[in-house]
Amino acid sequence: MGSNTRRSCRHNAKNIIVTMKTKFLKLICMILSGVTVSCAMSSCSNDDDDVNNNMSSSRWVLVKCSAHYTINNGDGGSISADWDKEFTYDSNGRITSDTDDDYTYKYEGNNIVTDDGGVFTLGKNGFITSFKVDGDDGIAEYNSNGNIIKYNSGDSWIADLKWNNGLLTRANVSYSSTAKSFDIEYYNSNVINADCSAALNAQFVCWDLFDGYWALGMCGFWGKMPNKPMKKITSTRANSSSPSSLFTYEDIDANGCPGKLSIEDSWGKHTYNLVWEKIIITNPD
């Protein structure tokens, strides 16, 4: 699929899907619908460091997610899917390929270049400050703590993010004539470790609030992600609140990694299982 077609697919999905669950389901953007994801899980560490581009000597990363599900669409029909998504990393802990977006990534000076011609330029903190995708020039801004506060894709997609003590608490997103807001709540305790929390939270940030590139978010190029597990997200559109999405983390091992993430919303309970792997960073910046 060409880059313009992929981008159009994402834009159409954004305009159609109005609840939090669907962006976790961006993993199946090609289907523009989906609810249940299955994966396996490896053990993880207790490392509570933020997942960002200032990486420690080792960390846990998402390497695979598999989906095997059937969705009842409410009209007497259903959609089924059976797929595997994989992510690979280099010795610096940076993403090199992902089958979520079907991109490969190269690092050229201060630029990250994707195989479809996207160019993401890093600022002095190692965060993306400008980018060019499909001919559009976008920008990103950060607060003094390294959290992204503004995203503008250059083609009318704008997100404003509000943070409190390193946690994203509210976001307002607009695209063309569509506007939507999200309120986010977290568990008080770290029921899962910070690496896993940040990686999963990056998916919501990148696919609900931005226009994709979740893999770059997992590696901290979109700034520091919330490192506590999300508990509840409530979305509001046109002054009408959607049912909240409730998150539970299951099969948590002794090191704080969840074997499953379940999201319960108006569609029911949907389960995500994840495969993590510990990487040793041999060439830290």
Side-chain angles (χ1 to χ4, degrees):
M1 179 181 289
S3 60
N4 289 332
T5 303
R6 285 198 297 265
R7 191 174 181 83
S8 177
C9 170
R10 295 198 295 270
H11 285 171
N12 290 337
K14 295 283 189 173
N15 291 329
I16 294 171
I17 302 172
V18 297
T19 62
M20 164 54 205
K21 70 167 191 319
T22 57
K23 291 308 184 263
F24 270 95
L25 300 177
K26 167 50 196 68
L27 292 168
I28 52 171
C29 159
M30 297 292 294
I31 302 173
L32 293 179
S33 181
V35 183
T36 307
V37 179
S38 329
C39 286
M41 168 77 197
S42 68
S43 63
C44 302
S45 75
N46 274 323
D47 186 1
D48 284 335
D49 291 337
D50 291 345
V51 174
N52 56 58
N53 58 323
N54 300 313
M55 298 172 184
S56 59
S57 59
S58 67
R59 66 188 180 103
W60 290 89
V61 296
L62 183 65
V63 295
K64 186 175 181 180
C65 185
S66 304
H68 311 281
Y69 61 86
T70 298
I71 308 158
N72 294 319
N73 63 13
D75 296 324
S78 64
I79 300 173
S80 297
D82 184 4
W83 48 254
D84 297 283
K85 304 291 184 181
E86 296 183 355
F87 305 85
T88 63
Y89 305 82
D90 66 12
S91 59
N92 288 304
R94 304 173 304 188
I95 190 73
T96 55
S97 69
D98 76 78
T99 58
D100 177 36
D101 277 313
D102 290 325
Y103 294 138
T104 59
Y105 304 83
K106 293 183 179 180
Y107 297 85
E108 302 176 355
N110 291 329
N111 293 326
I112 304 172
V113 182
T114 62
D115 59 339
D116 70 336
V119 178
F120 300 80
T121 301
L122 306 179
K124 63 180 181 179
N125 292 325
F127 304 143
I128 296 168
T129 54
S130 63
F131 51 98
K132 190 177 188 68
V133 177
D134 298 337
D136 297 317
D137 294 303
I139 60 170
E141 300 175 8
Y142 303 84
N143 62 21
S144 58
N145 294 321
N147 306 125
I148 188 166
I149 56 175
K150 192 174 188 65
Y151 171 95
N152 188 329
S153 69
D155 67 343
S156 302
W157 192 282
I158 300 173
D160 292 294
L161 297 79
K162 299 185 182 302
W163 299 77
N164 183 19
N165 293 325
L167 298 179
L168 175 65
T169 56
R170 184 174 176 83
N172 299 305
V173 180
S174 63
Y175 179 72
S176 187
S177 60
T178 301
K180 191 174 181 180
S181 63
F182 299 87
D183 291 289
I184 304 101
E185 300 175 27
Y186 299 83
Y187 284 92
N188 290 329
S189 61
N190 288 321
V191 295
I192 63 175
N193 75 35
D195 284 349
C196 297
S197 293
L200 295 176
N201 293 342
Q203 188 181 32
F204 164 69
V205 171
C206 294
W207 286 116
D208 278 83
L209 309 183
F210 301 169
D211 197 23
Y213 296 98
W214 171 35
L216 295 178
M218 287 197 295
C219 290
F221 292 115
W222 291 118
K224 296 181 180 180
M225 292 293 152
N227 65 358
K228 285 190 175 181
M230 292 183 178
K231 180 179 182 180
K232 178 180 178 181
I233 296 178
T234 303
S235 60
T236 304
R237 184 175 183 178
N239 298 319
S240 176
S241 295
S242 300
S244 298
S245 297
L246 304 176
F247 298 76
T248 56
Y249 303 84
E250 305 167 11
D251 295 350
I252 302 172
D253 69 13
N255 297 307
C257 279
K260 297 179 181 179
L261 163 64
S262 292
I263 304 174
E264 188 169 2
D265 51 31
S266 59
W267 286 56
K269 187 176 182 178
H270 328 302
T271 300
Y272 299 73
N273 306 318
L274 310 164
V275 176
W276 306 88
E277 183 177 291
K278 188 175 185 179
I279 59 172
I280 306 299
I281 301 172
T282 58
N283 297 306
D285 292 334

